[in-house]
Amino acid sequence: MRDLLGQILELLPDQAVALARIVDRTGAGPRETGAAMAMTGDGRVLGSLSGGCVESAVLAAAGQVLLDGRASLERFAAADELTVGLPCGGEIEVFVERLDHDDLPVLHALHTALDAHRPVAYATTLESIPDRKLLRPDDTAPWRGLDHDAAALLTAGHNGLIGAQDGTPAQAARPRTFVQVFRSPARMILAGANDYTRAVTVAAANLGYHVTVVDARETFTTPARFPAADEVVIDWPHRYLEAEQRAGRIDERTVLCVLTHDPKFDVPLLATALGLPALAFIGALGSRRAHADRTARLRDTGLLDSDIARVRSPLGLDLAAHTPEETAISILAHILATRGSATARPLADLDGPIHRRPD
């Protein structure tokens, strides 16, 4: 959508435009969610969704949307001899909506935010008459019971669907909504090339994190061992973190998990991390005895107990996890609960709505 926005803004003062976006994708697909195509009333087409696989069907829907003004949700699965679909075998949902001059204010605001390189999310309810909302990191105003979920996607830095998904009466209060996020993904840096790290990369990637695995041991630190990681770096972890900070690639959303179990890696890295101005989460895997030893070593570097208390260790929630895959769920649950200031207690034990706002 970013690439088409300027052209759409030029067209809207004089004519309506049908905008089609991929709002969900399962399996292989030609493009990611948020990919957009637009059509004008005179049949002019901007952009592409699939390189030709489903364009004809989408354009037919766009023509109808321009005529009656009611949005349409189109689903495309694997193609066969009789149906329009995707030869790659995946599935996509495409939302087609009508934009006109009434939508200029929110689209101009989106364009301004993108030009200024400010993080922003553009939320659209998947209703026949869509509701649209521009969200920024500092927004606090409620919006259709969806603002907290949308804010979580904006924090994470990835697109997603929120709201009721099953056609229940709750959908009227919390309609199914596509949130398109214009922000780089939040980072997760995992120190230590081991089986636990590999399991965490898979779980973290599914949550939209940009995952980096870093370890100084070249034998273990290979892309083949960590296929779900975005980056696999051979370096001393504390030296890598210092370099990333100098390069401006560490921010208040960055998560650091120390999974090495080795003081010669753990202590320099944690001492460096605790000296940085902004990290969302610092965690260290290990037993209580290991953390007590680590704490003593950190004190020897001159750190105060109040600083060391920022390290969440033993890392993870009490889920009786044993395998690397179970431990990964425990770790990610700990990170999510901290990010959302949540209790991490069973929802059945709590009162009130499950989609609560943080305190």
Side-chain angles (χ1 to χ4, degrees), residues 190 196-208 211 226-229 328 332:
L190 304 176
Y196 290 95
T197 301
R198 183 168 58 246
V200 174
T201 64
V202 174
N206 286 335
L207 292 181
V211 183
F226 303 97
L332 267 294

Side-chain angles (χ1 to χ4, degrees), residues 280-335:
F281 185 98
I282 304 172
L285 198 64
S287 66
R288 298 187 192 281
R289 179 181 296 179
H291 184 58
D293 176 73
R294 187 187 295 135
T295 297
R297 292 173 185 270
L298 288 170
R299 286 196 193 102
D300 289 342
T301 69
L303 287 167
L304 301 175
D305 285 348
S306 57
D307 297 321
I308 299 170
R310 292 172 53 204
V311 179
R312 293 172 171 87
S313 185
L315 177 59
L317 299 185
D318 180 17
L319 303 182
H322 295 286
T323 68
E325 291 73 20
E326 291 171 347
T327 302
I329 299 301
S330 170
I331 290 171
L332 267 294
H334 192 173
I335 292 168

Side-chain angles (χ1 to χ4, degrees), residues 134-314:
L134 202 64
L135 300 117
R136 300 175 177 83
D138 56 352
D139 283 343
T140 58
W143 180 66
R144 305 199 64 171
L146 299 165
D147 42 293
H148 180 44
D149 293 346
L153 289 175
L154 180 54
T155 297
H158 66 92
N159 303 335
L161 287 168
I162 58 175
Q165 306 286 322
D166 54 8
T168 64
Q171 190 158 357
R174 288 172 42 83
R176 192 168 184 240
T177 298
F178 177 60
V179 182
Q180 186 162 3
V181 175
F182 299 90
R183 187 181 200 180
S184 60
R187 295 193 64 187
M188 181 178 291
I189 299 173
L190 304 176
N194 56 48
D195 291 342
Y196 290 95
T197 301
R198 183 168 58 246
V200 174
T201 64
V202 174
N206 286 335
L207 292 181
Y209 280 99
H210 179 98
V211 183
T212 300
V213 175
V214 57
D215 196 310
R217 301 170 298 173
E218 187 172 351
T219 300
F220 303 105
T221 314
T222 66
R225 291 194 68 210
F226 303 97
D230 296 284
E231 299 173 295
V232 178
V233 177
I234 301 170
D235 200 352
W236 282 80
H238 74 280
R239 188 166 62 189
Y240 172 77
L241 187 63
E242 290 169 349
E244 291 298 285
Q245 172 66 17
R246 289 193 299 269
R249 291 190 285 266
I250 303 295
D251 64 19
E252 73 283 354
R253 300 177 298 149
T254 302
V255 169
L256 172 68
C257 292
V258 182
L259 310 176
T260 49
H261 299 293
D262 189 334
K264 70 175 179 288
F265 293 114
D266 294 6
V267 174
L269 176 56
L270 289 171
T272 299
L274 292 171
L276 299 184
L279 279 174
F281 185 98
I282 304 172
L285 198 64
S287 66
R288 298 187 192 281
R289 179 181 296 179
H291 184 58
D293 176 73
R294 187 187 295 135
T295 297
R297 292 173 185 270
L298 288 170
R299 286 196 193 102
D300 289 342
T301 69
L303 287 167
L304 301 175
D305 285 348
S306 57
D307 297 321
I308 299 170
R310 292 172 53 204
V311 179
R312 293 172 171 87
S313 185

Side-chain angles (χ1 to χ4, degrees), residues 87-110:
C88 53
E91 298 183 13
I92 60 173
E93 283 188 274
V94 178
F95 188 65
V96 189
E97 59 187 306
R98 185 179 190 271
L99 301 175
D100 57 32
H101 64 276
D102 290 338
D103 300 301
L104 280 170
V106 67
L107 294 176
H108 272 302
L110 174 60

